[in-house]
Amino acid sequence: MHTIEFSMPDKPDPKAPAGTPTEDRPVLHRFEETPEGFRWREIELLQYKPEGTHFKGITRQALFNRPDEIPAALRYFEIEPGGYSSFEKHRHVHAVMILQGRGRVLVGDSVYDVAPFDLVYIPSGKWHQFRADDDAPLGFLCLVASDRDRPECPGEEDIAVIRSIPGLDAFVRL
Amino acid sequence: MHTIEFSMPDKPDPKAPAGTPTEDRPVLHRFEETPEGFRWREIELLQYKPEGTHFKGITRQALFNRPDEIPAALRYFEIEPGGYSSFEKHRHVHAVMILQGRGRVLVGDSVYDVAPFDLVYIPSGKWHQFRADDDAPLGFLCLVASDRDRPECPGEEDIAVIRSIPGLDAFVRL
């Protein structure tokens, strides 16, 4: 892993907050492409959501989540071909970068085709849903603030609106 | 760009802070691979550093930088073949994901080979430097807290230490 090993004395930084942990964490998480999808060494594969909401075929990996160091979390989600994320909204925003595959994303009143490295900004309060194409997975990074509200699912009234708009009704999975 | 356009009424969210801007920003920044490197539509190509430090052949693009929404910034850096970033340290941490190319990174007292999608964590107070291989660029995402300290460059005493350690002296560009 290391190509060179040498010892440069690290002098303690007098300005560092007491107890700053810097020593006991791996510097490198090596990427691995597997038949089951993208993986990173020593990073746990997690359930997409602990509670039951309507989604299909998603994995989640918390790539960086140390709120004491950066008050934001960088997660990787991978949706299997034909799968989708929950249709939801919340006050916090998402900053997304597509990493692999193909799919579409609904944001507010529009649907966008997405491809690797495209950036998607999901504003506060907008309904949104990601869908992978039927013949490809959709993998993406999603950056959120550590301090954020819980997602809201559509109520009966919202569902009635969705059902009344053909383009929306055809896209949304509930 | 949009494959479907329809109008779903967005009811104002009574819990949203007054003046929350959600309407006037593009949802999608399309990725483009160009002969000059990775680019995103409507995202400005920036100088690597405003002040003069020792680096070579780097561009910077601020992919997401809205501290009022997420108190962290996601930047993309691209180092040309043979180029390098500043040798520096600071109290804030970096969470890095390699996006393209090949290179090496010095973190503290070790050098790591890196390849696409590898994750690199740069702890508080550790000297670090990225170098692209001579035959490939090195492009990477770098996540930082919005509230962060300025980088520190090596002083004369640090440079004397670097010069006294053959492995370090051979790697570091000052």
Side-chain angles (χ1 to χ4, degrees):
Chain A
M1 204 72 70
H2 303 197
T3 55
I4 307 176
E5 288 269 7
F6 46 77
S7 56
M8 186 185 178
D10 271 305
K11 286 173 294 188
D13 181 348
K15 290 175 291 185
T20 301
T22 58
E23 297 305 327
D24 56 347
R25 299 171 176 178
V27 162
L28 189 71
H29 290 284
R30 189 70 74 189
F31 170 74
E32 290 177 318
E33 190 165 2
T34 78
E36 291 75 40
F38 282 10
R39 299 287 184 273
W40 286 266
R41 283 194 205 159
E42 294 148 30
I43 289 182
E44 194 184 357
L45 194 71
L46 298 163
Q47 277 194 295
Y48 169 51
K49 301 227 172 181
E51 72 272 36
T53 55
H54 292 80
F55 61 88
K56 186 184 168 198
I58 309 195
T59 58
R60 176 166 70 92
Q61 291 167 84
L63 302 186
F64 189 84
N65 188 20
R66 304 190 186 285
D68 55 321
E69 299 193 340
I70 297 178
L74 185 67
R75 300 93 45 88
Y76 174 74
F77 295 93
E78 195 168 296
I79 309 183
E80 68 182 23
Y84 47 88
S85 65
S86 300
F87 179 82
E88 64 182 33
K89 69 175 183 177
H90 33 68
R91 276 182 289 162
H92 66 273
V93 309
H94 287 313
V96 166
M97 174 183 276
I98 307 300
L99 279 198
Q100 69 152 328
R102 297 271 161 183
R104 289 176 293 166
V105 54
L106 169 74
V107 182
D109 59 5
S110 298
V111 173
Y112 304 83
D113 289 312
V114 289
F117 301 149
D118 285 346
L119 297 171
V120 183
Y121 167 66
I122 299 180
S124 182
K126 292 281 186 191
W127 291 109
H128 57 278
Q129 184 168 48
F130 287 85
R131 289 184 55 186
D133 283 2
D134 285 333
D135 57 356
L138 182 66
F140 56 91
L141 300 174
C142 179
L143 180 69
V144 287
S146 299
D147 180 15
R148 60 185 182 274
D149 62 327
R150 295 184 71 81
E152 187 183 324
C153 293
E156 281 184 29
E157 197 186 331
D158 302 304
I159 293 172
V161 171
I162 293 164
R163 293 302 176 220
S164 72
I165 301 170
L168 195 53
D169 186 41
F171 183 85
V172 172
R173 295 289 175 270
L174 295 173
Chain B
M1 204 72 68
H2 303 195
T3 54
I4 307 176
E5 287 267 8
F6 44 79
S7 57
M8 186 185 178
D10 271 303
K11 286 173 293 188
D13 181 347
K15 289 175 292 185
T20 300
T22 58
E23 299 303 328
D24 55 348
R25 298 171 177 178
V27 162
L28 189 71
H29 290 283
R30 189 71 74 186
F31 170 75
E32 291 177 319
E33 190 166 3
T34 77
E36 291 76 38
F38 282 10
R39 299 288 185 270
W40 287 266
R41 282 193 205 160
E42 294 148 32
I43 289 182
E44 194 184 357
L45 195 71
L46 297 164
Q47 277 194 294
Y48 170 51
K49 301 225 172 180
E51 72 270 38
T53 57
H54 292 80
F55 60 87
K56 185 184 167 198
I58 308 196
T59 59
R60 176 167 70 92
Q61 291 167 84
L63 302 185
F64 189 83
N65 188 20
R66 305 189 185 285
D68 55 319
E69 300 192 339
I70 298 178
L74 185 68
R75 300 92 47 86
Y76 174 75
F77 296 92
E78 196 168 296
I79 310 183
E80 68 181 23
Y84 47 87
S85 66
S86 299
F87 180 81
E88 64 182 35
K89 69 174 183 177
H90 33 67
R91 277 182 289 161
H92 66 272
V93 308
H94 287 313
V96 166
M97 174 183 276
I98 308 299
L99 279 198
Q100 69 151 328
R102 298 269 161 183
R104 289 176 292 165
V105 55
L106 168 75
V107 183
D109 58 5
S110 300
V111 173
Y112 304 83
D113 288 311
V114 290
F117 301 151
D118 286 346
L119 298 172
V120 183
Y121 167 65
I122 298 180
S124 181
K126 291 281 186 190
W127 291 109
H128 57 278
Q129 184 168 49
F130 287 85
R131 289 185 54 188
D133 282 1
D134 286 334
D135 58 356
L138 182 65
F140 56 91
L141 300 174
C142 179
L143 180 68
V144 287
S146 299
D147 180 13
R148 62 186 181 275
D149 62 327
R150 296 183 72 80
E152 187 183 324
C153 293
E156 281 183 30
E157 197 187 330
D158 303 304
I159 293 172
V161 170
I162 292 164
R163 293 302 176 217
S164 72
I165 301 170
L168 195 53
D169 186 40
F171 182 86
V172 172
R173 295 289 175 270
L174 295 173

